[in-house]
């Protein structure tokens, strides 16, 4: 059977995508829509097989609930138009209750499917542990469901659609095919970005003709993503796999190195995938939201999360943080605590409750394991601490006459943030919470540079040549990122150049991948990391 | 409008609220500052800002905030 494992696979890049582009080019407008929808479902089938029924069920139920909410809103509008001014409040209240019930039911249904499929083993294992502690002689069977690819991503898209219809930010879509395409569009179904209906639905349905400039621009971005994946992410995989699987055999320095390498790998893999995804969209003239904005230039953890997996962060902010912190009891709490603790610390009281909910959910969204929850809570503590000590650090800097915007100060902040992120990613990558603690303990108790002096470091999955290629590639990425940070619009500048420059870019990129890509004997290609979530 | 500028400048004296038009997009106001700001605005102008109104378009500049405030005062 034809199957696809990732956006970097030959089946995707050399078969499915070119075939889709070819058909899209040849067909008229309506048929182009059918082509995109057909290829989206074909892609899902090639990745998840029969589990496509979950995608179909989610699409149909969310579409139907959307229409239901839309119908209630229409009825409310008519009732408001027909009633006296004095009755409007009562009418609004009546419909509000009805609307709330429907939207809560619709969202819970989608989240419920996700919880059952993805978290059943985790919840039943923990329940069994609790029962054992309580000496209750009952053991629950741990169900193990097959999980369709991208469920965590399309569930959040579906939930945001329902909530946006409820808030009347968007109308309920009456066209099932347009809605199905928004949920299933093949470049983004597996790893995001988590798009809002208002971002992509109309663009997708518009199916503009493929323009040469878009094709060039999109394919160059795909090549850039391929470089990140094959040159860096795959090269790092064997070392990371070795250390994280048998960390006991390595000293603290090697574990530190593996944590840094994993942080780089995660960025190269996920942002590289986003380059392929967004590049594919660009070929079809569809602009998808960016998911990364040079995260390793962040000065604080809070800033880091506005630059890393941006669409997930904004989803949690818009659909969890603000609704929780803006609820009536929380608003009262904010108001009271502001009077008591002032403008800075006051909102932190209610804000921290909402922030706690966000980070527990963020951790759980990534996977069913305690180490994922601890990963979330780790960031919660860091962000909260950052906010708590901000006035103190500003005051201290003023007293010591330190310019907080001085380059050196900023560089130190960036390094500190990077190291804190690496610790978080160590917890994230570890196979369990116990192993994460074990690794951190080893860093603290057996940190030696022996492996470096004895050259043993070059036998753990990467040799000298690998380190050199990786270093050069990272320097190249750093220079490009630095230029972008300073406002240089590299892609726009290249886009204006003639065909000779584009041909040179393609040839250099392909040669780079062929010559320096980590494939074949001695390498272990990394599975798409974020597709598992 | 002057009252709004006073509130904003008290929140973050390092930002020029008269010229800045991307307060949220450029992360000059983080989510916790926005919470404080909303609470302050609600008290100062006797309005209720629903969660659905917390979108970048309403908070990216002092003018956008003023538009939101006047709209909510009229409702």
């Amino acid at each position: 059977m034809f199957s696809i494992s990732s956006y970097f696979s030959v089946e995707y890049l050399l078969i499915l995508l070119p075939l889709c582009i070819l058909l899209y080019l040849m067909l008229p407008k309506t048929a182009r829509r059918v082509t995109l929808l057909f290829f989206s479902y074909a892609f899902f089938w090639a990745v998840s097989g029969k589990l496509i029924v979950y995608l179909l069920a989610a699409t149909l139920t969310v579409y139907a609930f959307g229409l239901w909410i839309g119908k209630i809103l229409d009825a409310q509008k008519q009732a408001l138009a027909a009633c006296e001014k004095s009755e409007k409040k009562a009418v609004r209240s009546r419909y509000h209750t009805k609307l709330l019930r429907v939207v809560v039911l619709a969202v819970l249904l989608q989240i419920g499917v996700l919880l059952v499929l993805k978290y059943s083993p985790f919840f039943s294992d923990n329940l069994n542990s609790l029962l054992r502690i309580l000496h209750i002689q009952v053991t629950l069977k741990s169900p193990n469901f097959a999980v369709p690819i991208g469920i965590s991503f399309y569930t959040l898209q579906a939930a945001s659609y329902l909530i946006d219809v409820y808030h009347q930010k968007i109308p309920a879509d009456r066209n099932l095919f347009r809605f199905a395409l928004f949920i299933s569009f093949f470049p983004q179904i597996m790893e995001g970005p988590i798009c809002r209906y208002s971002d992509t639905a109309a663009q997708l349905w518009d199916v503009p003709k493929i323009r040469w400039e878009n094709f060039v621009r999109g394919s160059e971005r795909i090549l850039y993503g391929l470089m990140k994946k094959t040159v860096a992410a795959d090269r790092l995989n064997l070392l990371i796999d070795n250390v994280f699987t048998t960390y006991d055999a390595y000293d603290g320095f090697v574990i530190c190195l593996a944590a840094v390498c994993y942080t780089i790998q995660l960025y190269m893999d996920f942002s590289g995938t986003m380059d392929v995804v967004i590049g594919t969209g660009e070929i079809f003239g569809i602009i998808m939201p960016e998911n990364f904005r040079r995260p390793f230039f962040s000065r604080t953890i809070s800033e880091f999360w506005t630059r890393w997996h941006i669409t997930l962060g904004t989803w949690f902010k818009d659909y969890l943080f603000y609704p929780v912190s803006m609820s009536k009891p929380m608003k009262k709490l904010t108001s009271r605590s502001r009077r008591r603790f002032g403008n800075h610390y006051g909102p932190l009281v209610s804000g921290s409750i909402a922030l706690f909910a966000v980070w527990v959910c963020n951790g759980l969204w990534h996977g069913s394991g305690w180490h994922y929850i601890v990963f979330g809570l780790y960031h919660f503590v860091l962000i909260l601490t950052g906010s708590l000590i901000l006035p103190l650090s500003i005051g201290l800097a003023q007293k010591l006459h330190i310019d907080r915007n001085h380059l050196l100060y900023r560089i130190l902040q960036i390094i500190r943030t990077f190291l804190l992120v690496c610790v978080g990613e160590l917890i994230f990558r570890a196979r369990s919470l116990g192993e994460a603690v074990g690794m951190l303990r080893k860093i603290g108790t057996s940190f030696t540079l022996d492996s470096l002096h004895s050259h043993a470091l070059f036998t753990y999955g990467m040799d000298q040549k690998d380190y050199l290629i990786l270093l050069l590639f990272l320097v190249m990425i750093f220079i490009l990122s630095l230029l972008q940070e300073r406002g240089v619009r590299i892609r726009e500048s290249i886009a204006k150049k003639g065909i000779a420059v584009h041909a040179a870019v393609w040839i250099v990129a392909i040669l780079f991948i062929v010559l320096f890509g980590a494939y074949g004997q001695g390498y272990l290609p990394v599975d798409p990391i974020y597709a598992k979530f | 409008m002057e009252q709004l500028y006073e509130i904003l400048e008290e929140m973050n004296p390092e930002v020029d609220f008269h010229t800045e038009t991307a307060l949220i997009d450029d992360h000059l106001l983080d989510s916790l500052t926005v919470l404080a700001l909303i609470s302050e605005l609600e008290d100062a102008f006797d309005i209720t800002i629903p969660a659905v109104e917390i979108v970048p378009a309403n908070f990216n500049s002092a003018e956008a905030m003023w538009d939101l405030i006047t709209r909510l005062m009229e409702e």
Side-chain angles (χ1 to χ4, degrees):
Chain A
M1 196 189 98
F2 179 75
S3 69
I4 292 176
S5 56
S6 82
Y7 291 115
F8 297 106
S9 65
V10 171
E11 291 83 0
Y12 177 76
L13 288 171
L14 297 183
I15 301 173
L16 189 128
L17 183 58
L19 207 61
C20 182
I21 293 171
L22 206 66
L23 272 173
Y24 190 99
L25 276 169
M26 293 188 307
L27 295 168
K29 190 162 185 159
T30 311
R32 290 204 289 268
R33 291 173 179 154
V34 179
T35 306
L36 283 189
L37 193 58
F38 171 79
F39 275 88
S40 295
Y41 274 79
F43 176 84
F44 200 92
W45 174 268
V47 178
S48 278
K50 284 183 286 187
L51 300 178
I52 201 167
V53 291
Y54 288 111
L55 177 67
L56 272 168
T59 305
L60 289 172
T61 50
V62 174
Y63 170 74
F65 270 110
L67 287 182
W68 190 2
I69 295 166
K71 211 171 158 188
I72 300 171
L73 285 167
D74 287 344
Q76 177 184 253
K77 214 176 274 174
Q78 282 172 5
L80 283 170
C83 73
E84 295 293 319
K85 203 177 174 185
S86 58
E87 295 167 338
K88 283 192 193 301
K89 203 175 172 183
V91 171
R92 268 203 199 97
S93 165
R94 197 170 68 236
Y95 279 96
H96 175 74
T97 313
K98 213 171 174 182
L99 277 167
L100 198 63
R101 276 186 197 150
V102 177
V103 75
V104 167
L105 176 70
V107 173
L108 282 183
L109 186 69
Q110 301 308 316
I111 305 278
V113 173
L114 175 68
L115 287 176
V116 169
L117 292 184
K118 206 169 145 183
Y119 302 97
S120 291
F122 175 67
F123 291 136
S124 61
D125 287 351
N126 281 289
L127 210 58
N128 281 334
S129 303
L130 187 71
L131 291 171
R132 268 199 304 279
I133 291 167
L134 297 171
H135 301 291
I136 299 170
Q137 301 298 317
V138 179
T139 307
L140 296 169
K141 207 179 158 203
S142 178
N144 222 340
F145 296 104
V147 183
I149 205 80
I151 187 170
S152 303
F153 292 93
Y154 73 69
T155 300
L156 294 193
Q157 267 194 207
S160 74
Y161 166 78
L162 289 163
I163 298 167
D164 286 354
V165 171
Y166 163 73
H167 283 310
Q168 300 181 59
K169 282 185 183 173
I170 51 168
D173 198 335
R174 291 177 189 282
N175 187 325
L176 175 61
F177 298 105
R178 179 170 51 205
F179 180 72
L181 186 56
F182 157 68
I183 290 286
S184 66
F185 184 45
F186 69 91
Q188 46 108 150
I189 185 91
M190 199 147 108
E191 295 190 54
I194 301 160
C195 299
R196 306 287 170 90
Y197 182 87
S198 51
D199 285 338
T200 52
Q203 285 192 72
L204 283 165
W205 203 239
D206 194 35
V207 281
K209 281 186 178 168
I210 293 180
R211 291 166 55 200
W212 174 247
E213 311 89 86
N214 287 345
F215 179 79
V216 170
R217 204 176 149 80
S219 47
E220 281 169 359
R221 179 125 190 209
I222 290 174
L223 280 172
Y224 188 50
L226 258 173
M227 278 165 69
K228 285 182 184 172
K229 153 89 169 137
T230 54
V231 179
D234 284 350
R235 175 159 275 111
L236 288 162
N237 202 33
L238 203 55
L239 169 83
I240 294 164
D241 207 51
N242 284 340
V243 178
F244 275 86
T245 315
T246 52
Y247 76 93
D248 257 340
Y250 302 96
D251 63 27
F253 169 71
V254 180
I255 293 172
C256 267
L257 181 74
V260 171
C261 286
Y262 179 64
T263 306
I264 294 168
Q265 184 195 42
L266 196 59
Y267 175 66
M268 292 296 173
D269 178 75
F270 194 19
S271 75
T273 305
M274 286 305 108
D275 291 326
V276 175
V277 167
I278 294 171
T280 305
E282 281 177 351
I283 290 177
F284 294 104
I286 291 147
I287 309 296
M288 279 186 266
E290 291 290 342
N291 238 355
F292 289 92
R293 199 168 51 87
R294 302 169 293 284
F296 299 125
F297 283 91
S298 306
R299 292 165 68 181
T300 62
I301 290 291
S302 177
E303 186 188 352
F304 176 80
W305 282 98
T306 63
R307 289 166 171 258
W308 174 282
H309 206 171
I310 298 168
T311 55
L312 180 71
T314 48
W315 195 98
F316 278 121
K317 193 168 77 180
D318 292 347
Y319 300 105
L320 192 59
F321 179 80
Y322 282 129
V324 171
S325 54
M326 296 293 286
S327 61
K328 270 185 190 161
M330 285 296 189
K331 269 188 169 181
K332 273 186 191 164
L333 183 63
T334 307
S335 196
R336 269 207 306 269
S337 48
R338 251 187 64 232
R339 277 194 291 273
R340 180 136 190 216
F341 303 114
N343 263 341
H344 182 78
Y345 292 109
L348 274 181
V349 178
S350 56
S352 60
I353 296 169
L355 213 56
F356 180 80
V358 164
W359 283 103
V360 169
C361 291
N362 187 308
L364 262 178
W365 180 88
H366 282 93
S368 54
W370 280 105
H371 61 124
Y372 289 116
I373 297 174
V374 171
F375 164 80
L377 292 178
Y378 170 77
H379 287 98
F380 163 72
V381 170
L382 288 179
I383 291 171
L384 196 63
T385 310
S387 285
L388 282 170
I389 63 169
L390 185 66
L392 198 74
S393 82
I394 291 174
L396 203 65
Q398 275 171 351
K399 264 191 183 165
L400 299 172
H401 303 290
I402 296 169
D403 177 7
R404 280 166 47 84
N405 281 318
H406 192 277
L407 182 66
L408 186 65
Y409 189 85
R410 286 193 341 240
I411 290 172
L412 287 173
Q413 279 186 310
I414 287 169
I415 293 170
R416 177 202 59 186
T417 304
F418 177 73
L419 294 176
L420 288 172
V421 168
C422 289
V423 174
E425 298 304 353
L426 182 149
I427 299 168
F428 184 81
R429 174 61 171 80
R431 293 182 303 177
S432 68
L433 187 57
E435 288 198 5
V437 173
M439 290 171 90
L440 289 170
R441 193 179 292 143
K442 250 196 138 181
I443 290 173
T445 54
S446 69
F447 194 96
T448 69
L449 296 177
D450 291 352
S451 57
L452 193 63
H453 294 141
S454 67
H455 288 214
L457 187 66
F458 303 120
T459 62
Y460 298 155
M462 277 173 59
D463 59 20
Q464 284 99 327
K465 188 192 83 190
D466 286 319
Y467 279 103
L468 186 67
I469 293 172
L470 182 73
L471 196 68
L472 289 175
F473 185 68
L474 293 183
V475 168
M476 186 190 94
I477 296 280
F478 174 75
I479 293 169
L480 291 175
S481 303
L482 191 65
L483 288 171
Q484 286 174 319
E485 271 300 286
R486 295 194 166 182
V488 179
R489 298 168 77 88
I490 301 168
R491 294 191 73 211
E492 284 70 12
S493 310
I494 295 174
K496 286 178 195 153
K497 307 284 182 201
I499 184 73
V501 174
H502 289 293
V505 168
W506 284 339
I507 291 166
V508 169
I510 292 168
L511 272 177
F512 201 86
I513 292 164
V514 172
L515 292 174
F516 302 117
Y519 51 85
Q521 209 179 4
Y523 294 109
L524 180 68
V526 58
D527 286 334
I529 300 171
Y530 259 76
K532 292 178 206 155
F533 308 136
Chain B
M1 189 80 183
E2 277 313 307
Q3 195 182 353
L4 174 64
Y5 280 125
E6 276 172 30
I7 291 170
L8 290 168
E9 273 150 23
E10 198 192 326
M11 288 272 163
N12 192 342
E14 290 174 350
V15 178
D16 183 0
F17 289 98
H18 290 268
T19 55
E20 199 56 63
T21 55
L23 293 166
I24 303 292
D25 293 341
D26 288 350
H27 309 287
L28 295 169
L29 296 179
D30 64 16
S31 27
L32 288 168
T33 314
V34 171
L35 274 192
L37 179 62
I38 288 168
S39 180
E40 180 86 34
L41 295 178
E42 287 189 340
D43 286 354
F45 297 100
D46 194 22
I47 51 172
T48 303
I49 302 175
V52 68
E53 296 284 4
I54 310 171
V55 288
N58 285 338
F59 287 88
N60 259 335
S61 67
E63 271 187 27
M65 286 183 226
W66 185 245
D67 288 344
L68 173 71
I69 292 164
T70 46
R71 180 159 56 79
L72 291 171
M73 282 165 81
E74 282 163 16
E75 275 178 14

